[in-house]
Amino acid sequence: QKEVEQNSGPLSVPEGAIASLNCTYSDRGSQSFFWYRQYSGKSPELIMSIYSNGDKEDGRFTAQLNKASQYVSLLIRDSQPSDSATYLCALVIGAAGNKLTFGGGTRVLVKP
Amino acid sequence: NAGVTQTPKFQVLKTGQSMTLQCAQDMNHNSMYWYRQDPGMGLRLIYYSASEGTTDKGEVPNGYNVSRLNKREFSLRLESAAPSQTSVYFCASSARLAGFGETQYFGPGTRLLVL
């Protein structure tokens, strides 16, 4: 079992709708979680980080963390064509807590 | 302020050839990382350096070596390239290690094709 699982997609979303992305992980000890956005042919960029159970909102993005169920999700409200990208879930692993492991990414397509 | 830079942008190698991928950052960050990205696999950590003078293995270190030349530069070397090393390589840096929730800043990537 991979440490971080994501549906590869593509997730097709109409413009203005909510895109919902999910990520499950296997390491119960993980404490820090991140969402990165990667446009085709470009490098990843951090869009959200979350460390506590519950919701964290930043503009049109909301990250949700449930450590008991071992999942983290990302909601994109009022989706725009510019949100079309691959979204990578990442979390800190290792006893020293000094490495990131990434999921395979979910490709999102926002259709006008 | 260029952030994280990588050279070359693209490289074609023959099996068995060697090469070094260069990475430099101008943000005065302590920690630097090398990842590879393959379709559907996300990013996988090859090596990282918590600070100048230290390096540690990541998830997929076999076939690679690294050098943290100074605080700015972190190079990745393929001694004998294999087709399985065809990938996109990203260098990243952060002020502190990942466990402290530090944002990692990525370079533009190096696309490597091994024939």
Side-chain angles (χ1 to χ4, degrees):
Chain A
Q1 181 190 3
K2 289 181 65 175
E3 293 186 19
V4 184
E5 298 273 6
Q6 291 183 259
N7 189 319
S8 60
L11 176 65
S12 186
V13 179
E15 184 175 357
I18 296 175
S20 179
L21 292 74
N22 293 314
C23 170
T24 59
Y25 60 93
S26 58
D27 185 355
R28 285 193 169 274
S30 297
Q31 297 294 323
S32 304
F33 305 85
F34 309 90
W35 283 100
Y36 283 79
R37 177 176 62 199
Q38 186 176 25
Y39 292 114
S40 180
K42 302 296 184 183
S43 54
E45 58 177 328
L46 182 70
I47 54 171
M48 290 287 288
S49 59
I50 186 166
Y51 312 114
S52 304
N53 279 327
D55 296 359
K56 178 181 178 182
E57 188 174 316
D58 184 358
R60 295 187 294 110
F61 298 100
T62 299
Q64 300 173 318
L65 175 60
N66 185 320
K67 292 183 181 180
S69 299
Q70 294 176 247
Y71 79 80
V72 56
S73 61
L74 179 70
L75 300 177
I76 308 173
R77 291 184 302 281
D78 188 23
S79 295
Q80 301 297 309
S82 60
D83 294 325
S84 297
T86 296
Y87 291 80
L88 301 168
C89 173
L91 51 112
V92 175
I93 61 166
N98 54 10
K99 304 176 190 177
L100 278 184
T101 189
F102 287 80
T106 297
R107 185 168 164 234
V108 173
L109 291 173
V110 180
K111 297 185 175 181
Chain B
N1 190 334
V4 181
T5 58
Q6 293 183 236
T7 55
K9 286 186 170 55
F10 182 72
Q11 184 73 46
V12 179
L13 291 178
K14 294 181 180 178
T15 297
Q17 287 185 317
S18 62
M19 78 163 295
T20 299
L21 283 65
Q22 306 286 353
C23 174
Q25 51 91 8
D26 61 3
M27 296 176 282
N28 201 34
H29 284 168
N30 290 314
S31 301
M32 298 186 73
Y33 312 81
W34 275 107
Y35 293 91
R36 61 177 288 174
Q37 186 173 36
D38 303 294
M41 299 289 290
L43 289 154
R44 291 184 292 170
L45 183 65
I46 304 171
Y47 271 93
Y48 68 100
S49 171
S51 61
E52 185 179 351
T54 67
T55 60
D56 284 287
K57 295 179 180 179
E59 182 184 353
V60 288
N62 292 343
Y64 305 95
N65 285 301
V66 290
S67 294
R68 183 74 183 267
L69 304 170
N70 48 54
K71 192 171 186 179
R72 289 188 63 247
E73 299 171 290
F74 188 37
S75 62
L76 178 72
R77 183 161 178 82
L78 287 70
E79 291 291 352
S80 179
S84 61
Q85 294 178 304
T86 292
S87 188
V88 180
Y89 291 85
F90 288 102
C91 177
S93 72
S94 62
R96 293 189 295 173
L97 285 172
F100 294 95
E102 285 290 329
T103 299
Q104 291 194 10
Y105 295 87
F106 285 82
T110 294
R111 282 151 182 78
L112 177 65
L113 174 62
V114 182
L115 301 175

